[in-house]
Amino acid sequence: MLEVVIFGAVVQRIDKGDFMMSNITWKYVKKLDDPDGIRSFLDKYHVQLPEKLIKCLYDNNGGRPSEKIFSTNRCDGYVCKSLLSFNKNDIDSIFKYYPDLFFGTSLFPFAMDSSGNFICYDTKMKRYVLWKHETDSIESIKL
């Protein structure tokens, strides 16, 4: 569900727990500055994510998937840029966006598309969505 959600075929593989197999590769993966950083961050903000998503974030911190294209309920052909990094000093770091940009919502951003929108997990509805920053609107990601 996650690999299909994030980057077409990638999200489905994450949901099945096999995101490291097949022909999906991850480029520019960044070593975590703190090996417990993701869990600590999630615990600090009381965020509950699917374990398969957490594993993907640990294994591919800040990485870019080879399978990038995904669709929503409104549009086909979005391009996933990368996962957000859990290192404070990285350019596209979760620390720059959460919780401030998502305060008062049930959305947890974990990746960005090529237009600066965020691929999120909706912790209340238990689904993956695209949050569009220019319109503050949400589109459900097709799995």
Side-chain angles (χ1 to χ4, degrees), residues 10-121:
V10 175
V11 178
Q12 289 176 349
R13 291 187 186 110
I14 291 174
D15 189 53
K16 293 178 183 175
D18 63 351
F19 57 89
M20 292 301 289
M21 60 182 269
S22 188
N23 57 356
I24 306 261
T25 57
W26 295 84
K27 295 181 179 179
Y28 312 114
V29 173
K30 297 164 182 67
K31 182 179 179 189
L32 285 165
D33 293 339
D34 176 1
D36 296 320
I38 294 173
R39 282 275 183 213
S40 298
F41 189 91
L42 296 175
D43 289 348
K44 177 179 179 179
Y45 294 107
H46 309 287
V47 174
Q48 300 245 325
L49 298 177
E51 284 302 315
K52 292 173 185 173
L53 174 55
I54 294 171
K55 180 169 177 24
C56 179
L57 296 173
Y58 267 106
D59 292 347
N60 305 292
N61 182 54
R64 296 177 182 224
S66 60
E67 298 286 332
K68 307 172 192 267
I69 307 302
F70 68 97
S71 299
T72 69
N73 61 321
R74 293 191 183 159
C75 186
D76 295 331
Y78 286 106
V79 177
C80 179
K81 177 183 167 193
S82 66
L83 294 175
L84 294 176
S85 172
F86 281 79
N87 295 331
K88 288 184 181 180
N89 296 320
D90 287 346
I91 293 172
D92 286 328
S93 171
I94 186 72
F95 293 92
K96 293 181 182 178
Y97 308 111
Y98 196 89
D100 300 338
L101 194 56
F102 294 89
F103 184 77
T105 74
S106 60
L107 302 180
F108 185 82
F110 62 90
M112 294 180 74
D113 77 359
S114 58
S115 298
N117 300 311
F118 291 89
I119 299 164
C120 303
Y121 183 73

